[in-house]
Amino acid sequence: MTTKRLSQPEFIALIAMLFATIAFSIDAMLPALPEIGAELTPTDLNRAQLVLTSFVLGMGVGTFFTGPLSDAFGRKPVILGGALLYCVASLMALYANSLEFLLVARLAQGLGAAGPRVVAMAIVRDLYEGRQMAKLMSLVMLIFTLVPAIAPTLGAGIIAISDWRGIFMAFVVFSVISVIWLALRQPETLPVEHRKPLHGATLFRAMMEVFSVPMVRLSIAVQCLCMGMLFGVLSSTQQVFDITFHQRENFPYWFALIALLAASASVLNAALVVRLGMRYLVTLAVGGQILFSAVMLLTGWSGWLSGTPYLLVYVLWNASVFFMVGMTLGNLNALAMEPLGHIAGMAASIISAVATVVAVIIAVPIGLAFDNTPVPLAAGVLVCATIAFVLVRRMARLDRVLTPAD
């Protein structure tokens, strides 16, 4: 087996494409939600949102297993196996004739997507650490953030020439291309001599170790809230544009603008993280989100604005949520993983599984509370951002205790 490392640009592009499987699987579905709702759940259109969160839930559950499997059998076999499950589940969804069957297929699709998601993170941790890892992850997240700029437009284009089912064939093609690239170009990053046998006791000890570190616990909690805000916004943003602002046809273009505005966060984070530190930037991001969400909530409640000005306020607020994600998730992952390099695969699985499953629990009620206005969405994000800010401040106090000034 060759041990030659890929050039950093190619490595970043490959990891970003593996991560982009998730963004593509979620965001390309957004334009399809009205059609799915009308065909499969016409009496309760809000339930179509579950097509998004069922995928995320499956991904969260799957991440609990993929890290330990990759520690035992290597990184590449687990990614390839996950991609196979993802493709099979996509074909199941293609032929779904009920919302329940579609949700099961999406759950299985999420289980498969957990392979590329978590094991790609473990590959990064195998090769990089600390602030350099955070910088690299910021560049990966830049590409990850750009995917939503084109995914809804691609989804709308596929619907225009076929129907919403055709999107699932696009998922299969995307996954096949990414795993072929991985198989041919990326050497295995976990040598056989460093692999750990798969034992329940080992996983339990790793879980205890992860949750025994206060900084890791706080990082996971803030991740739960940040991801909950993201998935809550994603769940109902199509309905807000469609029902509140009557922008169904223009939704992919508004969403592309939001994604492009938010993409600057990863560039900014990569430029600043080595100099200012991860926790400081997370503090700024969640603190800013409290302000933006308060403005959005007051605007919606008060009725001060209507029409295009109200739409523009919503677009800027929506972009601020995505911007916050670009400034937080990579840093929080790096903070959580920094003391856990010796159990990178299992730690990545545990952290990602807990953060994702809890984020879905947070996001589902926020999304289903949609009442034809963005008010419930803004209120839910404001509450989450406020709690996250309190937890980040606790991280700061803990950091001062652990690293006292000379």
Side-chain angles (χ1 to χ4, degrees):
M1 179 182 68
T2 179
T3 58
K4 184 179 179 181
R5 181 182 292 191
L6 290 181
S7 67
Q8 191 169 96
E10 183 180 359
F11 180 74
I12 291 171
L14 173 59
I15 297 298
M17 188 165 184
L18 292 171
F19 269 55
T21 301
I22 303 158
F24 188 42
S25 300
I26 296 172
D27 298 321
M29 296 301 303
L30 292 172
L33 295 182
E35 286 79 3
I36 292 173
E39 181 177 340
L40 301 181
T41 179
T43 60
D44 189 357
L45 296 179
N46 270 10
R47 294 183 68 213
Q49 296 179 9
L50 299 176
V51 171
L52 305 179
T53 49
S54 60
F55 173 86
V56 177
L57 178 61
M59 184 176 62
V61 173
T63 56
F64 188 77
F65 302 101
T66 50
L69 287 170
S70 76
D71 281 345
F73 301 109
R75 311 303 190 202
K76 290 174 68 174
V78 175
I79 291 181
L80 298 175
L84 177 61
L85 175 58
Y86 175 88
C87 291
V88 171
S90 298
L91 296 176
M92 288 172 56
L94 181 65
Y95 295 102
N97 56 9
S98 70
L99 181 65
E100 290 74 18
F101 188 85
L102 179 59
L103 295 181
V104 170
R106 287 286 283 175
L107 186 72
Q109 198 182 28
L111 287 169
R117 181 206 186 196
V118 175
V119 183
M121 176 69 73
I123 289 174
V124 174
R125 182 60 185 82
D126 288 339
L127 301 175
Y128 299 90
E129 63 182 11
R131 294 187 178 185
Q132 291 302 317
M133 177 181 172
K135 181 177 180 179
L136 185 141
M137 284 306 302
S138 292
L139 297 173
V140 170
M141 290 298 292
L142 169 62
I143 302 174
F144 177 84
T145 306
L146 288 173
V147 171
I150 60 172
T153 304
L154 289 174
I158 293 168
I159 293 169
I161 61 176
S162 58
D163 60 17
W164 61 266
R165 299 172 188 275
I167 297 173
F168 291 100
M169 280 306 304
F171 292 160
V172 173
V173 172
F174 187 90
S175 179
V176 168
I177 292 172
S178 63
V179 297
I180 288 176
W181 185 4
L182 173 81
L184 295 180
R185 294 290 298 157
Q186 174 60 51
E188 175 62 56
T189 60
L190 185 66
V192 174
E193 61 271 19
H194 292 161
R195 295 178 188 177
K196 302 175 178 65
L198 186 61
H199 297 303
T202 303
L203 180 58
F204 180 77
R205 285 195 299 270
M207 187 182 303
M208 291 299 100
E209 182 172 354
V210 166
F211 288 104
S212 70
V213 183
M215 186 65 74
V216 175
R217 291 199 303 268
L218 289 169
S219 297
I220 294 172
V222 179
Q223 280 190 63
C224 293
L225 292 160
C226 291
M227 292 173 67
M229 289 183 264
L230 172 65
F231 296 139
V233 169
L234 282 172
S235 292
S236 58
T237 196
Q238 190 280 333
Q239 288 177 290
V240 173
F241 275 102
D242 183 359
I243 297 173
T244 308
F245 298 112
H246 311 291
Q247 294 285 318
R248 177 185 291 196
E249 298 300 323
N250 295 324
F251 167 69
Y253 309 114
W254 283 116
F255 200 80
L257 175 63
I258 289 167
L260 290 172
L261 289 173
S264 60
S266 295
V267 177
L268 183 63
N269 191 73
L272 297 178
V273 67
V274 173
R275 179 157 54 93
L276 298 180
M278 296 171 277
R279 181 185 48 75
Y280 182 75
L281 293 178
V282 172
T283 304
L284 289 180
V286 295
Q289 189 50 233
I290 293 173
L291 177 62
F292 282 115
S293 294
V295 170
M296 183 69 234
L297 183 59
L298 288 173
T299 302
W301 263 343
S302 66
W304 291 335
L305 298 177
S306 61
T308 300
Y310 189 19
L311 170 62
L312 293 177
V313 170
Y314 177 75
V315 168
L316 292 174
W317 173 71
N318 209 310
S320 77
V321 176
F322 280 81
F323 188 94
M324 176 205 65
V325 170
M327 294 291 291
T328 57
L329 290 191
N331 292 329
L332 290 166
N333 266 309
L335 283 168
M337 291 289 290
E338 192 165 11
L340 303 171
H342 57 293
I343 53 168
M346 279 188 274
S349 284
I350 294 165
I351 291 166
S352 296
V354 172
T356 304
V357 171
V358 175
V360 170
I361 294 171
I362 294 170
V364 167
I366 292 175
L368 293 180
F370 176 67
D371 63 353
N372 297 340
T373 77
V375 169
L377 184 58
V381 172
L382 177 59
V383 170
C384 290
T386 302
I387 298 171
F389 186 81
V390 171
L391 294 177
V392 173
R393 297 306 301 157
R394 290 188 62 184
M395 291 171 67
R397 290 194 295 271
L398 178 63
D399 195 38
R400 286 194 292 270
V401 170
L402 294 177
T403 55
D406 293 330

